[in-house]
Amino acid sequence: MVPVAEALERLLDGATALPGESVALMDAADRVLAEPVVALRTQPPFNASAMDGYAARAADVASIPARLSVIGMAPAGRGFEGTVGPAQAVRIFTGAPLPAGADTIVIQENTRDLGGGGIEVIEPAPEWRNIRRLGLDFSKGDVLLEKGRLLDPAALSLAASANHPRVSVVKRPLVAIIATGDELLPPGSDLGPDQIISSNAYGVAAAARSVGANALDLGIAADRQEAIAALVKAAVAAEADVIVTLGGASVGDHDLVHDVLTGEGMTLDFWKIAMRPGKPLMFGRLGDVRCIGLPGNPVASLVCTQLFLKPLLARLGGRVHRQDMRETRLGAAMPANDLRQDYVRAVVTEEAGTFVATPFGIQDSSMLRMLADANGLIVREPFAPAAAAGAACRVLMLR
């Protein structure tokens, strides 16, 4: 059995960000830049008023009270075309260009209207007061956003202000999901006495989308090689970057996924991992497509998704995925461990400034409700000795 750390290293080996694609800026939220964003303009493109008030000469308002004649108006989007001379002012609004001759803005609250086109300034305004200087934010040619930046709201607005209608972003990885098993039916079905609901695909798809990937659910394949092969071919035709199979990758008579994938040309890398739950995890490569065979047990499937699939999809999408691992204390005693690395469902609470992880008493890998109630997985190393309540432990946080 392959250790967990080695399995992850082998699965990620050679995985790099997918090529870039150009998308409209309005559709680029939460995407990763494939190329830097360089300013196509200077911002502000002129000396601009930062306040509503009067554009004037600082020398004229250094001593107060000062009386000025208002010779025109400069609203945003339409600058004043004349020149401000001695003892003159232009009524100006936020965002309007600073008129020629002016070098300060007297805010409206610091003036009195004298009528007849005159104002009195009652507070001094030093040179360049309330003015946003040309290029204050950035200049044409500046690199504003580096390659690899996640486009959050601020980054999107910055790209727009730099006059970019489109950006180059890393292609979203596509993961094709294939469930296998004669016993499986989709939610909403009328079940026969020997059938169960197929649930794993929904959690796997949600996990994929949480790291920026697209998910293609190809449905349920019956336990026949030709049925599984047909969906594998559909995944390849859809240009999937990763094929995920659910169940059917173990060693039983009806576990056909390995044979089908190798028959299609997959090179097997590993089949078993020294972990619990999730031992029958398969990984191989079908040309440029990575194939991951997840266990059929729902909890094992989702734990392996957290540990292996999400880091792979994040890397293909140009993202950095960090597991939220925390040092905590045990809320209950735990027995000694065997040769496999355990991921034990637990509830993590904070008590007097310390995180405490209390494991559930039953850890059967079919019990989804317990996983939904858990907010962490206690990580027990191989051959870890028995641990008393209060002992230190590591927890992989789930939310």
Side-chain angles (χ1 to χ4, degrees), residues 244-280:
V244 169
T245 60
L246 305 173
S250 188
V251 293
D253 292 339
H254 295 286
D255 293 334
L256 307 173
V257 169
H258 168 264
D259 292 341
V260 169
L261 286 171
T262 53
E264 293 294 323
M266 182 190 77
T267 301
L268 180 67
D269 192 311
F270 58 80
W271 197 338
K272 297 179 183 178
I273 298 184
M275 64 179 288
R276 182 176 34 241
K279 173 184 173 183

Side-chain angles (χ1 to χ4, degrees), residues 3-186:
V4 171
E6 180 184 337
L8 180 60
E9 182 179 350
R10 287 160 65 172
L11 187 142
L12 294 178
D13 182 45
T16 57
L18 296 173
E21 60 182 358
S22 177
V23 301
L25 196 60
M26 191 58 75
D27 299 323
D30 202 38
R31 301 292 296 271
V32 176
L33 282 173
E35 300 292 341
V37 170
V38 177
L40 300 178
R41 60 186 292 273
T42 295
Q43 176 66 15
F46 44 74
N47 295 324
S49 176
M51 302 288 285
D52 291 348
Y54 295 88
R57 304 188 328 154
D60 291 336
V61 294
S63 300
I64 56 168
R67 294 192 174 189
L68 305 176
S69 298
V70 180
I71 61 172
M73 182 179 294
R78 191 172 71 252
F80 178 74
E81 296 182 356
T83 299
V84 176
Q88 292 181 336
V90 168
R91 182 77 168 103
I92 197 167
F93 296 89
T94 304
L98 184 70
D103 58 9
T104 191
I105 302 293
V106 180
I107 63 173
Q108 183 173 319
E109 295 88 331
N110 291 342
T111 65
R112 295 193 186 100
D113 186 356
L114 300 177
I119 60 168
E120 183 178 65
V121 178
I122 59 175
E123 290 287 342
E127 190 176 16
W128 300 111
R129 175 66 59 87
N130 301 316
I131 295 170
R132 297 188 177 112
R133 301 291 293 269
L134 168 72
L136 174 67
D137 199 356
F138 53 81
S139 297
K140 184 177 180 179
D142 287 351
V143 176
L144 302 181
L145 299 168
E146 298 286 353
K147 176 181 177 180
R149 170 67 184 263
L150 187 70
L151 288 169
D152 55 21
L156 286 167
S157 292
L158 178 58
S161 70
N163 206 26
H164 285 273
R166 304 181 68 85
V167 286
S168 177
V169 295
V170 177
K171 175 189 170 189
R172 288 189 187 276
L174 176 62
V175 53
I177 303 171
I178 302 171
T180 66
D182 288 336
E183 77 279 15
L184 300 178
L185 287 176

Side-chain angles (χ1 to χ4, degrees), residues 284-322:
R285 300 169 193 261
L286 181 57
D288 292 332
V289 182
R290 285 171 164 77
C291 302
I292 299 178
L294 293 177
N297 278 327
V299 174
S301 178
L302 291 177
V303 170
C304 288
T305 294
Q306 178 71 30
L307 293 176
F308 300 104
L309 180 61
K310 287 176 68 173
L312 173 61
L313 294 176
R315 182 170 292 189
L316 292 175
R319 298 169 184 251
V320 176
H321 179 72
R322 295 184 178 89

